[in-house]
Amino acid sequence: MLKRLQEMGLRLLYPPHCPGCGTSVDTQGQWCSACWNRIWHPRKLNRSQSIRHLDECYCLTMYQGVIRHVLHDLKYHKIKRQAAACQSFLWQFPWMQRLAQIDIVMPVPLAPEKEKERGFNQTELIFHAWAEYHWQWINGLQRIRYTNAQWQLSQKQRKDNIKRAFEVKGSFYAGKKHILLVDDIYTTGMTMDSCAKVLKEKGAASVTGLVIASSAL
């Protein structure tokens, strides 16, 4: 009852509108058909030769225009309701059969100081409910040193920046597990590849990536 009242209150405060054009829609996070058709671009990313540990990676939209705006609102302006706009894509993931072997889902971790400042990990906010509907969600990785934003660095700097930045958390055992590693944005793939390297060193059978947006094809 309380949850229903909270939902009704949110609808009064923030009437559902398409995140792209502002058209009235039925539920929070829903896209109108015109915006959906413009931004929906599911694909398996072509990875560079430098990505050696991440077995494959799927992406749902291009990182541009309104998608960039939505993710920036969530990450940098702390507008949490924008997570619903990203969750809409997950429920339409077109190749669930390709994930049939997945055992657990794990987010790319934020640096502790970044998560404390932001108040949340945007990746967990986006993916958690969808992931737990299908599999087990585990925060099995931790970032053990501060790293700069990858997008502002050269390729060599990116590689050095992310080197030895992650480790398995606590007693998590990755042995023979098929892991779905999730993040909001895929830039060069080096961050996810670094996470995959750590997980495979701990015995993971495979690491598949899934992201909301990328400029890569």
Side-chain angles (χ1 to χ4, degrees):
M1 182 65 177
L2 178 59
K3 185 178 180 181
R4 183 171 177 79
L5 288 172
Q6 289 173 335
E7 289 174 351
M8 290 173 63
L10 283 174
R11 285 181 66 88
L12 288 172
L13 286 172
Y14 305 108
H17 291 94
C18 171
C21 66
T23 299
S24 293
V25 292
D26 294 331
T27 59
Q28 288 287 356
Q30 181 183 348
W31 298 80
C32 73
S33 58
C35 286
W36 180 275
N37 292 334
R38 189 161 55 249
I39 61 181
W40 178 236
H41 186 27
R43 61 203 185 276
K44 185 165 81 168
L45 295 174
N46 295 314
R47 295 160 298 133
S48 67
Q49 291 183 349
S50 62
I51 305 302
R52 296 179 296 167
H53 308 284
L54 186 67
D55 294 289
E56 57 188 1
C57 188
Y58 294 94
C59 179
L60 302 179
T61 69
M62 293 296 293
Y63 183 53
Q64 61 187 22
V66 68
I67 296 300
R68 184 192 295 265
H69 177 73
V70 164
L71 288 170
H72 278 220
D73 271 354
L74 178 59
K75 294 171 68 170
Y76 305 121
H77 302 299
K78 304 179 184 179
I79 303 176
K80 290 186 178 182
R81 66 179 183 275
Q82 292 287 37
C86 299
Q87 291 161 356
S88 297
F89 302 123
L90 295 173
W91 295 105
Q92 298 300 319
F93 183 76
W95 303 297
M96 289 300 294
Q97 72 278 8
R98 300 184 189 180
L99 305 180
Q101 84 285 5
I102 294 299
D103 298 304
I104 59 177
V105 183
M106 187 176 299
V108 170
L110 283 179
E113 55 271 28
K114 280 188 180 180
E115 187 162 355
K116 183 178 180 180
E117 177 188 352
R118 193 169 294 167
F120 57 89
N121 181 343
Q122 73 281 351
T123 299
E124 184 163 359
L125 204 61
I126 293 168
F127 284 92
H128 195 165
W130 174 81
E132 283 214 320
Y133 183 82
H134 299 286
W135 305 283
Q136 182 182 13
W137 175 276
I138 296 179
N139 286 296
L141 286 169
Q142 59 186 349
R143 197 178 292 242
I144 57 175
R145 66 176 181 81
Y146 183 84
T147 57
N148 294 313
Q150 289 284 84
W151 63 268
Q152 60 189 358
L153 304 175
S154 68
Q155 185 168 349
K156 183 181 184 307
Q157 288 172 328
R158 287 169 177 170
K159 187 174 181 179
D160 293 339
N161 182 51
I162 212 69
K163 195 172 184 179
R164 291 187 293 275
F166 303 98
E167 69 178 15
V168 167
K169 185 186 292 185
S171 60
F172 172 71
Y173 177 63
K176 299 182 180 180
K177 300 291 186 184
H178 295 278
I179 298 172
L180 182 64
L181 184 67
V182 297
D183 205 358
D184 56 344
I185 302 167
Y186 181 108
T187 305
T188 64
M190 289 185 181
T191 298
M192 295 192 92
D193 196 57
S194 183
C195 290
K197 180 177 186 292
V198 169
L199 291 169
K200 287 191 170 180
E201 287 173 347
K202 294 296 183 179
S206 69
V207 181
T208 298
L210 175 62
V211 299
I212 296 298
S214 177
S215 298
L217 296 175

